[in-house]
Amino acid sequence: MNLDRYKKIDEKDIEYLKSVLGQDRVLSGDEISEDFSHDELGGISKMPEVLVEVLTTEEVSKVVKYAYENNIPVIPRGSGTGLVGASVPIHGGIMINMCKMNKILEVDEENLTLTVEPGVLLMEIGDYVKEYDLFYPPDPGEKSATIAGNINTNAGGMRAVKYGVTRDYVRGLELVLPTGEIIKVGGKVVKNSSGYSIKDMVCGSEGTLAIVTKAILKLIPAPKKSISLLIPFPNLSLAIETVPKIIKSKVIPTSIEFMERDVILAAEEFLGRKFPDNTADAYLLLTFDGNSTEEIEKDYEGVANIVLNEGALDIFIADTDERKEAIWSARGAFLEAIKASTTEMDECDVCVPRNRVADFINYTYELQKEFNVRIKNFGHAGDGNLHVYILKDKMTEEEWNKKLSQVFNCMYEKARELRGQVSGEHGIGFAKKVYLKDQIGDVTSILMKNIKQAFDPKNILNPGKVC
Amino acid sequence: MNLDRYKKIDEKDIEYLKSVLGQDRVLSGDEISEDFSHDELGGISKMPEVLVEVLTTEEVSKVVKYAYENNIPVIPRGSGTGLVGASVPIHGGIMINMCKMNKILEVDEENLTLTVEPGVLLMEIGDYVKEYDLFYPPDPGEKSATIAGNINTNAGGMRAVKYGVTRDYVRGLELVLPTGEIIKVGGKVVKNSSGYSIKDMVCGSEGTLAIVTKAILKLIPAPKKSISLLIPFPNLSLAIETVPKIIKSKVIPTSIEFMERDVILAAEEFLGRKFPDNTADAYLLLTFDGNSTEEIEKDYEGVANIVLNEGALDIFIADTDERKEAIWSARGAFLEAIKASTTEMDECDVCVPRNRVADFINYTYELQKEFNVRIKNFGHAGDGNLHVYILKDKMTEEEWNKKLSQVFNCMYEKARELRGQVSGEHGIGFAKKVYLKDQIGDVTSILMKNIKQAFDPKNILNPGKVC
């Protein structure tokens, strides 16, 4: 890609942006915090030439229109909690900080929708709709992500087993196109077969096709009861091989997470508090929800029999808020805890058919030995989406880059062999482009490039990402 | 659009197609049944120049590749049950009859998926998965549609209130692109954030972006119990205004259909059998499903109280297979029954927010008076998707065309005003293109055209449809 083909920001550009947004919401040079040069995993970093803060759709539109006319890259950014460099301005340009467009605009109890601005945080949505006895099911681990970030990665989270992913809960979007034009797609409607579904394509497009400036989300009535089961197993293979048997029994838990002792110990240390049990090598964490205790009990009793038959060591029931919080706060801290245990790390979040999860994890054990590198796994056993972390520890930079590349090549090849996908929910961004291309091949790759061009003929919106 | 820019079929083309498919599966001229010139509603008709029957993906690929190289239109066709002319070969060319690619390939009980060829009928899927205690929720009225037809319209059906639409149940697709190349998108995975979701865009694209040659569908465990409530009301407005109140009570029935006395009488006559009750002016038909009688009872008792408070005249419970079948077979015959009651008709299946359904229906009453034309309504009160039929009766052709156009203009404008969409599930095809363009405006319209071009640079796949 020709880096020189974009216009560099100059004083005139900054003046224009200040005329639109005011003096205080346009930062350049040293005024920009280093935080904006990278995301959560930071494998790649680059400072934007200018950082602007927007408050309205019209402001976004004006900034993008200017960038389009002047051939300047534009990168929308939320909380920066991504893991694949999707929000890093690798070609410089204008970064638009969307975080202050963070109002919850409307809850509609008759249509079961919530209308929000893009910078609303996932955790705020959960808390807000609870007051109405409503529920927004998508539940990615990182609760401080913005909703537009979730939409742009099509994040799935813990409850995808039962409830599906973010795309399934997006009814309508307001978008600023790379030309600066504003369009609305979808709405409060439940069904829509009115032309190509731009809404569904923008979901998961990692800020490369359009900027989300408003979203209408689908809500459901909040389940009245939920219960979690923490189930120790003598080893992880046994734990994970139980999952397809649970599914085959026609019970669909809300979530089925797996975790290893090592990761639990790291989380205990990171949080400074104890997990309910840490004596077994591996655990399944299952949640069931429903409208009555009896309804849930019937489901989990069946599952309890299955897991005990398959070799589970015990079953800990978490039915109080306190116990659930102890378990789920540890689960929520896994990523940070692993990160704190090493010098640097990188991630792989392949998604494989759920009856192939054990195959993949056993393969990561082999790779750990073969390449003499620490690899930590946790993730969503119920939906086949693994979060695998490769740790740098004391390796030199050179050794690390070489091993990481070798281990990734092996992992993504294995995922293909198991008919999995490169990313379940973290996206492709910058870091996984080469693996996506290997997976999908030339024909699909060219088709994706054509789609990008259909939205963004000048390739100014978050360039160098996805494809 | 320049009709002359496509190559006309000649002997050489037919020879080539016969060399690929054999003598018997290539028909031309008088050998082609008139059925293939129109769909179920037949507002438009045109014969294909050649009709081919395919048995494999490779055959589809070869035919499409030839058409691409020679600039010949290609139109995929399933059962022909569409209502908007999407499968009519308006520019001639090669029609590909997909109906013999009709094998159910695999049920996977561990991943809860069903892999099917495109010509499998909706009714076959329901019956097949039942044997495994599994369930494919999408339930459009027309059970003899092919699954690829359902995917291409993103049909929703009766159960969308609780379970969502066809797109939500498509996990993976095998596609033949307009160039003849074969690609696979998605798979058995539950989550996928690996580049632009071609799968989600092809769903609902009405055979204009790619030809579906295989589909991996998501299944869920079959609910063990279901019950229907037939609820008479003194008038339709009262019936429909009750629906948002049901939703607001945090109970989500599987389906909420509305019907008027007139339509029920027409169905009785059409089927030659009695509906359980035909004394009231209007009815709601609600279904609840779940895993136990108690679970369902709790839901429907709450709803029963609401509807009686809101003025329902009675509640008929259908809990036996026989009673349910009597009601649902009538519901399934509404379209045919209305069709049989007039000389010709056309349809409108706007989808509006569900608390605006009553507004829209009352407006159709006004139009009925204003234009002195019979208009019949039925549809999905629970998801806001109306099926409105305008009847020609004894009008002259000229009068009919004029009135239809006037009535449609009013209806689609009203739908826009209520923030609805042109089509909930029937699609745009040929018949609704002008209304789609009015609805979405120039910017979105051009974007859709760009997307079409990204897939189909020569515009040979089902040209003249959608946009």
Side-chain angles (χ1 to χ4, degrees):
Chain A
M1 183 165 298
N2 181 1
L3 297 178
D4 300 329
R5 68 185 195 75
Y6 294 114
K7 179 184 175 311
K8 290 281 141 200
I9 297 284
D10 60 26
E11 273 311 308
K12 204 179 126 273
D13 302 325
I14 291 177
E15 254 170 58
Y16 173 79
L17 294 170
K18 285 186 174 174
S19 78
V20 173
L21 304 171
Q23 297 290 322
D24 298 346
R25 293 195 275 125
V26 180
L27 303 177
S28 61
D30 292 348
E31 297 168 335
I32 305 174
S33 158
E34 184 271 343
D35 286 349
F36 291 93
S37 70
H38 62 82
D39 65 7
E40 181 72 19
L41 219 51
I44 180 172
S45 73
K46 165 106 184 173
M47 291 293 283
E49 293 171 78
V50 59
L51 174 69
V52 302
E53 200 173 85
V54 290
L55 300 177
T56 67
T57 303
E58 288 64 36
E59 288 180 354
V60 177
S61 168
K62 279 184 189 163
V63 172
V64 176
K65 190 154 186 267
Y66 183 82
Y68 180 78
E69 283 164 359
N70 291 281
N71 208 33
I72 300 168
V74 182
I75 299 89
R77 190 186 194 268
S79 299
T81 57
L83 299 169
V84 293
S87 65
V88 179
I90 57 172
H91 295 301
I94 304 168
M95 175 173 276
I96 306 186
N97 182 354
M98 307 294 294
C99 287
K100 290 279 168 69
M101 285 182 72
N102 62 353
K103 286 194 282 297
I104 294 180
L105 299 171
E106 185 204 25
V107 59
D108 180 337
E109 292 185 89
E110 291 183 338
N111 291 302
L112 296 184
T113 57
L114 183 77
T115 306
V116 294
E117 290 188 331
V120 170
L121 304 186
L122 181 59
M123 62 175 103
E124 294 169 337
I125 291 176
D127 290 345
Y128 188 87
V129 302
K130 210 178 191 177
E131 301 293 311
Y132 297 86
D133 280 332
L134 291 169
F135 186 52
Y136 175 70
D139 187 34
E142 179 58 68
K143 313 298 180 218
S144 62
T146 62
I147 188 65
N150 277 195
I151 290 168
N152 269 296
T153 52
N154 187 29
M158 326 271 189
R159 302 191 193 112
V161 191
K162 179 167 177 180
Y163 291 110
V165 297
T166 299
R167 183 184 284 114
D168 302 322
Y169 292 87
V170 178
R171 287 247 191 262
L173 294 174
E174 181 185 77
L175 300 169
V176 172
L177 296 177
T179 51
E181 285 157 315
I182 302 165
I183 65 169
K184 288 179 186 184
V185 291
K188 287 186 179 179
V189 292
V190 174
K191 289 174 175 171
N192 191 3
S193 297
S194 311
Y196 305 139
S197 188
I198 292 165
K199 166 181 87 63
D200 286 290
M201 179 137 285
V202 168
C203 290
S205 68
E206 306 184 50
T208 65
L209 300 182
I211 298 179
V212 173
T213 52
K214 203 183 283 178
I216 300 175
L217 306 174
K218 169 186 169 181
L219 303 174
I220 62 172
K224 294 185 182 70
K225 301 274 173 191
S226 91
I227 200 166
S228 290
L229 305 184
L230 180 68
I231 307 171
F233 281 87
N235 61 66
L236 189 59
S237 290
L238 204 59
I240 286 181
E241 279 160 13
T242 307
V243 174
K245 289 166 187 157
I246 295 172
I247 300 293
K248 214 173 161 177
S249 80
K250 312 284 190 292
V251 171
I252 306 290
T254 310
S255 62
I256 311 178
E257 299 289 300
F258 73 90
M259 47 193 74
E260 292 179 285
R261 187 159 185 268
D262 277 5
V263 175
I264 290 172
L265 294 180
E268 286 187 335
E269 198 182 317
F270 182 79
L271 292 173
R273 58 195 266 196
K274 286 280 163 203
F275 198 67
D277 184 70
N278 66 15
T279 57
D281 269 9
Y283 294 81
L284 287 183
L285 172 57
L286 282 83
T287 302
F288 297 86
D289 66 17
N291 284 329
S292 67
T293 311
E294 306 79 57
E295 192 186 323
I296 300 178
E297 268 174 4
K298 210 180 290 175
D299 279 353
Y300 82 69
E301 280 168 14
V303 170
N305 287 331
I306 292 171
V307 298
L308 290 172
N309 271 333
E310 295 297 322
L313 301 170
D314 203 343
I315 294 177
F316 301 99
I317 297 179
D319 50 1
T320 65
D321 283 349
E322 210 178 355
R323 285 196 97 169
K324 276 188 268 187
E325 147 66 16
I327 295 172
W328 284 100
S329 66
R331 168 63 186 86
F334 284 171
L335 173 64
E336 291 295 328
I338 296 173
K339 201 173 162 189
S341 81
T342 186
T343 51
E344 197 180 324
M345 65 182 196
D346 210 340
E347 64 85 54
C348 160
D349 94 312
V350 293
C351 194
V352 298
R354 57 188 141 203
N355 61 351
R356 308 312 294 271
V357 173
D359 295 347
F360 193 89
I361 289 181
N362 288 332
Y363 184 67
T364 67
Y365 291 158
E366 286 171 31
L367 292 176
Q368 191 162 233
K369 276 188 213 146
E370 187 183 337
F371 290 97
N372 187 30
V373 57
R374 279 207 301 151
I375 297 178
K376 293 289 152 217
N377 287 297
F378 63 92
H380 314 298
D383 58 38
N385 183 204
L386 303 170
H387 297 326
V388 184
Y389 293 88
I390 302 104
L391 311 186
K392 186 182 172 196
D393 293 343
K394 289 178 181 163
M395 279 180 239
T396 63
E397 201 62 25
E398 194 187 352
E399 200 186 351
W400 166 239
N401 287 332
K402 194 178 155 199
K403 272 197 188 172
L404 189 62
S405 165
Q406 288 171 323
V407 169
F408 271 163
N409 281 332
C410 292
M411 283 185 181
Y412 289 108
E413 201 183 310
K414 188 70 177 179
R416 276 201 297 286
E417 184 193 317
L418 299 174
R419 299 186 180 239
Q421 297 284 336
V422 173
S423 170
E425 58 182 353
H426 295 167
I428 300 302
F430 177 77
K432 308 298 177 191
K433 276 166 65 176
V434 54
Y435 306 111
L436 178 67
K437 206 177 163 197
D438 284 351
Q439 162 107 32
I440 64 180
D442 285 344
V443 174
T444 307
S445 194
I446 290 167
L447 179 53
M448 285 192 191
K449 284 199 175 88
N450 291 347
I451 292 168
K452 166 69 174 169
Q453 184 153 18
F455 282 79
D456 185 11
K458 287 188 168 179
N459 195 27
I460 59 147
L461 189 60
N462 204 5
K465 311 295 168 56
V466 184
C467 65
Chain B
M1 185 165 300
N2 181 2
L3 296 178
D4 300 329
R5 66 184 195 76
Y6 295 112
K7 180 187 175 306
K8 289 281 142 200
I9 297 284
D10 59 26
E11 272 311 309
K12 205 180 125 270
D13 302 324
I14 290 177
E15 255 170 54
Y16 172 79
L17 293 170
K18 287 187 172 172
S19 77
V20 172
L21 305 171
Q23 297 289 322
D24 298 347
R25 293 194 275 126
V26 179
L27 304 176
S28 60
D30 292 347
E31 297 167 336
I32 305 174
S33 157
E34 184 270 343
D35 286 349
F36 291 94
S37 70
H38 61 82
D39 66 7
E40 181 73 18
L41 219 52
I44 179 171
S45 73
K46 165 105 184 172
M47 289 294 282
E49 292 170 79
V50 58
L51 174 70
V52 302
E53 200 173 86
V54 290
L55 300 177
T56 66
T57 304
E58 289 64 36
E59 287 180 356
V60 177
S61 167
K62 279 182 188 162
V63 172
V64 176
K65 190 157 186 266
Y66 182 83
Y68 180 77
E69 282 163 359
N70 290 282
N71 207 33
I72 300 167
V74 182
I75 298 89
R77 189 187 196 266
S79 299
T81 57
L83 299 169
V84 292
S87 66
V88 178
I90 56 172
H91 295 302
I94 304 168
M95 176 174 276
I96 306 186
N97 183 354
M98 307 294 294
C99 288
K100 289 281 167 70
M101 286 182 72
N102 63 353
K103 285 193 285 297
I104 294 180
L105 299 171
E106 185 204 23
V107 58
D108 180 338
E109 293 185 87
E110 291 183 337
N111 291 303
L112 297 184
T113 57
L114 183 77
T115 306
V116 294
E117 291 189 332
V120 170
L121 304 184
L122 182 60
M123 63 174 100
E124 294 169 336
I125 291 176
D127 290 345
Y128 188 87
V129 302
K130 211 179 194 178
E131 300 294 310
Y132 296 87
D133 281 333
L134 291 169
F135 186 53
Y136 175 70
D139 187 36
E142 178 56 69
K143 313 297 181 219
S144 63
T146 63
I147 187 66
N150 276 195
I151 291 169
N152 269 298
T153 52
N154 187 31
M158 326 269 189
R159 301 191 193 113
V161 192
K162 179 168 176 179
Y163 290 111
V165 297
T166 299
R167 183 183 283 115
D168 302 321
Y169 292 87
V170 177
R171 288 246 190 261
L173 294 174
E174 182 185 76
L175 302 169
V176 172
L177 297 176
T179 50
E181 286 156 317
I182 302 166
I183 65 169
K184 289 179 184 183
V185 292
K188 288 185 178 177
V189 292
V190 173
K191 290 176 176 170
N192 192 4
S193 296
S194 310
Y196 305 139
S197 189
I198 293 165
K199 166 182 87 61
D200 287 291
M201 179 138 285
V202 168
C203 290
S205 67
E206 305 184 50
T208 65
L209 299 182
I211 299 179
V212 174
T213 53
K214 201 184 284 179
I216 301 175
L217 306 174
K218 169 187 170 180
L219 303 173
I220 63 172
K224 294 184 182 71
K225 302 274 174 194
S226 91
I227 201 166
S228 290
L229 305 185
L230 181 68
I231 308 171
F233 281 87
N235 62 65
L236 190 59
S237 289
L238 203 58
I240 286 182
E241 280 160 13
T242 308
V243 174
K245 289 168 186 153
I246 294 172
I247 299 292
K248 212 172 162 178
S249 80
K250 311 282 190 294
V251 172
I252 305 291
T254 310
S255 61
I256 311 177
E257 299 289 300
F258 73 90
M259 46 193 77
E260 293 180 284
R261 187 159 184 267
D262 277 5
V263 175
I264 291 171
L265 295 179
E268 286 185 336
E269 196 180 320
F270 182 79
L271 292 172
R273 57 194 269 197
K274 285 279 165 205
F275 198 66
D277 184 72
N278 66 15
T279 55
D281 269 8
Y283 294 82
L284 286 184
L285 173 57
L286 282 84
T287 301
F288 297 86
D289 66 16
N291 283 328
S292 67
T293 310
E294 306 80 58
E295 192 186 322
I296 299 177
E297 268 174 4
K298 209 179 290 176
D299 278 354
Y300 82 69
E301 280 170 14
V303 170
N305 286 331
I306 293 171
V307 298
L308 291 171
N309 270 334
E310 297 296 322
L313 301 170
D314 202 345
I315 295 176
F316 301 100
I317 296 178
D319 51 0
T320 65
D321 284 350
E322 212 177 353
R323 284 197 100 167
K324 277 187 268 186
E325 149 63 17
I327 294 172
W328 284 99
S329 66
R331 167 63 185 86
F334 283 172
L335 173 64
E336 290 296 327
I338 295 173
K339 203 174 160 186
S341 81
T342 185
T343 51
E344 197 180 325
M345 66 181 196
D346 210 339
E347 62 87 52
C348 160
D349 92 312
V350 292
C351 194
V352 298
R354 57 188 141 203
N355 60 351
R356 309 310 294 272
V357 173
D359 295 347
F360 194 89
I361 291 181
N362 287 332
Y363 184 67
T364 67
Y365 291 158
E366 287 172 30
L367 292 177
Q368 192 162 233
K369 276 188 214 148
E370 185 182 339
F371 290 97
N372 187 29
V373 56
R374 279 208 301 151
I375 297 178
K376 293 289 154 217
N377 287 297
F378 63 91
H380 314 299
D383 58 38
N385 183 204
L386 303 169
H387 297 325
V388 185
Y389 293 87
I390 303 103
L391 311 186
K392 186 183 174 194
D393 293 343
K394 288 180 182 161
M395 280 180 237
T396 64
E397 201 60 23
E398 194 187 354
E399 199 185 354
W400 167 238
N401 289 332
K402 193 179 157 199
K403 272 198 187 172
L404 190 62
S405 164
Q406 289 171 323
V407 169
F408 271 164
N409 280 333
C410 293
M411 282 186 182
Y412 288 108
E413 199 182 311
K414 188 71 178 178
R416 275 202 298 286
E417 184 193 318
L418 300 175
R419 299 186 181 240
Q421 297 284 333
V422 173
S423 169
E425 58 182 354
H426 295 168
I428 300 303
F430 177 77
K432 309 298 176 192
K433 276 165 65 176
V434 56
Y435 306 112
L436 179 67
K437 208 179 160 196
D438 285 350
Q439 162 106 34
I440 64 181
D442 284 343
V443 174
T444 307
S445 193
I446 289 168
L447 179 54
M448 286 193 190
K449 284 199 174 88
N450 290 347
I451 292 168
K452 166 70 173 168
Q453 182 152 19
F455 282 80
D456 184 10
K458 286 187 168 179
N459 196 26
I460 60 148
L461 189 60
N462 203 7
K465 311 295 168 57
V466 183
C467 64

